[in-house]
Amino acid sequence: MLTSLKRLLIGRPLKSNELGEQRLNKTKALAILSSDALSSVAYGPEQILIVLFTISAAAFWYSIPIAVGVLILLTALILSYRQIIYAYPHGGGAYVVSRDNLGKNPGLVAGGSLLVDYILTVAVSVSAGADAITSAFPALHPYNLPISIVFVLFLTTLNLRGVTESASVLAYPVYLFVVALIVMIGVGAYNIVTGHVPENLHTPVGTPVAGISLFLLLKAFASGSSALTGVEAISNAIPNFKDPAPRNASRTLMAMGGLLAILFTGIVFLAYYYGITPEAKETVVSQIADDTFGRTFMYFFIQGTTALILVLAANTGYSAFPLLAVNLAKDKFIPRMFTIRGDRLGYSNGIITLGVGAILLLLVFNGKTEHLIPLYAVGVFIPFTLSQTGMILKWMREKPKGWLPKLITNATGALISFIVTIMFFLTKFPQVWPVLVFLPLIVLLFHRIKLHYDHVGEQLRINPNQPPKLVEGNVIIVPVAGITKVVENSINYATSLTDQVIAVYVAFEREDEHVFEEKWKKWQPNVRLVTLHSSYRSIIMPLTKFIDTVQNKAEENNYRVTVLIPQFITKKNWHNILHNQSSLLIRAYLLFKRDVVVATVPFRFKK
């Protein structure tokens, strides 16, 4: 039943040689890897206005120069990550760049920060998508959290089906969103030029505003820079591109940067001229669409595509998180299971981990987008800063042809990213302080996992100077609970392997002990029986003491001890609760507590 449900949800398994068919062309890659960055224009400009509104609506004209600053940062980041794509064509992004140029710990900070940030990408995107829906349909506002969780479950299932299938689904909403916003920006600009928008709705650029300060402007700039989250995803996901992967990734990155610049500039421009004020129950994009088209079909089309891309923007996390996890797992900093491809050739363990983490974050923050965005933004600007700094050191060390312009580009990106990061900590410390707690803990966890793998490797490595321990024979101990077909099956198997077979029976009453010994002599006279009395009705303790005694004697003769456990297998799973499962408890205890071989002989019931 579970297998049938799995096939229904994620489809048939794919062969390993079908991996090439799962790679993306530029059109699909732009949809699946740019949706996060493009969707952020739905809330990035709003974050600028929220900060400026703390002074007054008259300060909204500052959104224009702030937007110019964000565009400068965007340009620096796009050019920087384009260089990273060609310098590190196998992907890994900020983690690999920081690790190779700044050292292990900076690399782990970047990697850990991005892992958490991709989980936040999913949480922020789906919660913002739910906000867009409830802006259009206010009656649904109390259900933001359940709607967000449903979106996460849908995206997790979609990505488990494979990269190309998720890209095929994503392409249409992403491009519809881009077209819808370009139409809205175009119509809005036309209305402004033709005088259909009253000039008294906004304060003229340059108007003095009381209470404005450089600190507040930097805070607004940092908040608006949240629109740039997601631009690094393409550099992490280069292996998902069709060959030549670096060139296709670079072109996709440039296309994404151009579209992001157009949409961000247009929304900031319209919000300023329309005199839009941020509201708790209606987004800025919703207000612009309402002022431009009224509550017509076009308004609901814009809201629908905005909601879709905000939800599907989470897919950037689903694309980049598993690939980053693969790089960390190959370096032994997270579990090896993240390197394993699933039935549909995707890294399913990473996909499932990401989905579960996003749902937990939504529950913790009650699906509130405004509470998640500061953590989300600071989480991505830390690796922005580290990766750009790493590239500076790379160019200074290698000095390839034309390295100076590249160094200047990366230095500009590093400086602005660092300023934004500091501003987040200075201005939003009550919201972003958890970063200072979980990042050191994550790095510590990485080191503990690496230490474990190093110890395991050391113990598993064959040393030619150390001869292997010889095994000259085997003693098999069979715990028995009665005289049944299950026990008979196990005894017959044990005697087929060796003559050194000992059956062990644990009795709670002395009378039972003697009765069982008499029955055994008649039933299995050629197999030695040892009966143990347990005054405290424990099977495991007397059994393990006996095993220790046998093991000490066996080691003197280079013999190994094998505990062969009879185990019946019920026809239906629910029948297991009708039995005490002592054999499972014995096996679990011995595997972790004793240095003996533990084997199971199954006996399957037919009914």
Side-chain angles (χ1 to χ4, degrees):
M1 180 179 174
L2 290 175
T3 302
S4 300
L5 180 61
K6 181 180 178 182
R7 293 288 158 261
L8 176 65
L9 291 175
I10 69 173
R12 68 171 180 85
L14 297 176
K15 296 179 181 178
S16 296
N17 59 12
E18 296 179 82
L19 180 60
E21 299 173 17
Q22 290 293 302
R23 297 189 187 276
L24 301 170
N25 57 33
K26 293 189 292 291
T27 304
K28 288 186 176 180
L30 182 60
I32 199 171
L33 295 171
S34 301
S35 52
D36 178 24
L38 295 178
S39 68
S40 61
V41 302
Y43 53 79
E46 185 168 1
Q47 297 302 308
I48 297 175
L49 298 181
I50 289 172
V51 175
L52 294 176
F53 191 58
T54 58
I55 298 296
S56 71
F60 285 170
W61 72 264
Y62 282 101
S63 63
I64 303 298
I66 288 171
V68 172
V70 173
L71 291 177
I72 292 171
L73 175 57
L74 171 63
T75 303
L77 289 175
I78 293 295
L79 294 176
S80 297
Y81 275 103
R82 183 174 180 272
Q83 293 172 180
I84 289 173
I85 286 171
Y86 285 111
Y88 296 90
H90 299 295
Y95 165 63
V96 174
V97 175
S98 302
R99 179 200 65 191
D100 290 355
N101 297 290
L102 300 176
K104 182 192 296 184
N105 286 325
L108 292 179
V109 170
S113 184
L114 278 176
L115 282 182
V116 175
D117 193 67
Y118 287 134
I119 299 174
L120 282 162
T121 294
V122 177
V124 168
S125 297
V126 297
S127 63
D131 288 342
I133 291 174
T134 56
S135 292
F137 304 99
L140 296 177
H141 200 269
Y143 305 103
N144 267 33
L145 181 59
I147 292 171
S148 300
I149 292 174
V150 169
F151 285 151
V152 173
L153 294 175
F154 167 74
L155 287 168
T156 303
T157 304
L158 181 64
N159 278 274
L160 289 173
R161 293 187 65 87
V163 174
T164 54
E165 288 207 30
S166 60
S168 298
V169 172
L170 279 170
Y172 297 107
V174 171
Y175 290 120
L176 284 174
F177 169 78
V178 171
V179 170
L181 284 198
I182 288 177
V183 170
M184 182 183 75
I185 292 167
V187 173
Y190 175 79
N191 290 340
I192 292 169
V193 171
T194 56
H196 288 85
V197 179
E199 291 191 7
N200 60 359
L201 294 179
H202 60 272
T203 306
V205 173
T207 302
V209 179
I212 202 73
S213 66
L214 177 61
F215 182 82
L216 187 86
L217 293 176
L218 288 173
K219 180 179 179 180
F221 171 70
S223 297
S225 297
S226 62
L228 306 185
T229 53
V231 299
E232 83 295 337
I234 291 175
S235 67
N236 282 323
I238 299 171
N240 277 344
F241 283 84
K242 291 192 174 192
D243 291 329
R247 187 175 70 184
N248 288 332
S250 172
R251 291 181 176 179
T252 303
L253 179 69
M254 298 301 288
M256 178 192 70
L259 286 174
L260 180 56
I262 292 170
L263 298 181
F264 179 82
T265 303
I267 291 174
V268 170
F269 179 77
L270 291 184
Y272 163 65
Y273 267 89
Y274 282 5
I276 299 296
T277 300
E279 295 181 9
K281 293 190 177 183
E282 186 174 9
T283 63
V284 165
V285 171
S286 172
Q287 294 182 63
I288 294 173
D290 193 3
D291 288 351
T292 304
F293 300 105
R295 295 276 169 152
T296 60
F297 166 79
M298 196 61 194
Y299 167 82
F300 288 102
F301 180 71
I302 290 170
Q303 285 302 100
T305 55
T306 301
L308 273 174
I309 194 175
L310 282 167
V311 172
L312 299 179
N315 215 75
T316 298
Y318 282 100
S319 301
F321 180 97
L323 291 172
L324 175 58
V326 167
N327 280 289
L328 283 162
K330 285 180 178 178
D331 291 339
K332 302 179 183 178
F333 288 114
I334 62 175
R336 291 283 184 84
M337 68 177 187
F338 288 102
T339 63
I340 300 172
R341 292 185 182 272
D343 287 354
R344 301 288 293 181
L345 299 180
Y347 294 106
S348 50
N349 289 323
I351 292 168
I352 292 170
T353 301
L354 179 60
V356 172
I359 289 174
L360 290 176
L361 274 177
L362 287 168
L363 292 172
V364 169
F365 288 93
N366 200 31
K368 299 291 186 183
T369 307
E370 63 273 16
H371 295 160
L372 289 163
I373 285 178
L375 274 176
Y376 173 41
V378 76
V380 79
F381 273 96
I382 290 173
F384 275 176
T385 305
L386 290 171
S387 62
Q388 305 311 309
T389 305
M391 291 301 291
I392 293 171
L393 296 181
K394 177 181 175 66
W395 302 136
M396 292 177 66
R397 184 177 64 251
E398 298 178 1
K399 295 183 179 178
K401 184 178 179 181
W403 66 276
L404 190 57
K406 295 178 180 179
L407 185 146
I408 293 171
T409 300
N410 287 124
T412 304
L415 178 62
I416 302 176
S417 296
F418 178 73
I419 292 171
V420 172
T421 304
I422 295 300
M423 287 310 303
F424 268 112
F425 280 111
L426 291 177
T427 62
K428 296 179 181 288
F429 187 78
Q431 294 168 282
V432 302
W433 67 264
V435 172
L436 300 177
V437 177
F438 71 70
L439 263 185
L441 291 177
I442 288 173
V443 172
L444 177 62
L445 179 63
F446 286 160
H447 281 293
R448 298 295 296 176
I449 292 172
K450 179 69 161 59
L451 184 64
H452 167 75
Y453 279 129
D454 288 344
H455 287 165
V456 168
E458 185 179 339
Q459 295 174 72
L460 293 179
R461 193 175 298 113
I462 294 176
N463 186 351
N465 299 321
Q466 183 179 351
K469 187 176 181 180
L470 297 177
V471 179
E472 298 181 4
N474 196 19
V475 178
I476 297 181
I477 298 173
V478 184
V480 299
I483 297 175
T484 64
K485 285 186 177 181
V486 180
V487 174
E488 183 181 49
N489 183 50
S490 300
I491 293 293
N492 290 341
Y493 179 72
T495 54
S496 72
L497 300 176
T498 180
D499 295 331
Q500 303 290 327
V501 178
I502 305 172
V504 180
Y505 175 73
V506 179
F508 297 157
E509 303 292 342
R510 292 291 183 184
E511 185 178 344
D512 294 340
E513 187 177 346
H514 298 308
V515 170
F516 190 81
E517 286 175 346
E518 292 299 321
K519 288 182 178 180
W520 188 271
K521 287 178 183 178
K522 295 178 182 179
W523 184 56
Q524 292 285 353
N526 297 323
V527 177
R528 178 187 172 189
L529 173 71
V530 173
T531 58
L532 306 172
H533 181 258
S534 176
S535 302
Y536 296 98
R537 299 160 301 286
S538 168
I539 295 175
I540 292 177
M541 295 311 295
L543 176 63
T544 52
K545 285 182 180 179
F546 176 74
I547 291 171
D548 289 342
T549 302
V550 174
Q551 187 177 20
N552 291 335
K553 293 182 179 180
E555 288 178 348
E556 295 174 2
N557 300 308
N558 292 329
Y559 271 51
R560 287 301 303 268
V561 175
T562 298
V563 181
L564 201 64
I565 300 175
Q567 174 71 53
F568 58 76
I569 311 297
T570 58
K571 180 70 174 178
K572 297 180 180 179
N573 290 334
W574 70 269
H575 288 170
N576 286 321
I577 63 175
L578 304 177
H579 306 278
N580 60 22
Q581 302 297 331
S582 296
S583 59
L584 293 177
L585 295 174
I586 294 171
R587 182 175 62 185
Y589 183 86
L590 292 176
L591 280 173
F592 291 100
K593 298 294 184 181
R594 293 295 185 273
D595 186 20
V596 295
V597 178
V598 182
T600 301
V601 181
F603 182 87
R604 302 181 184 279
F605 290 155
K606 296 179 181 179
K607 297 181 181 178

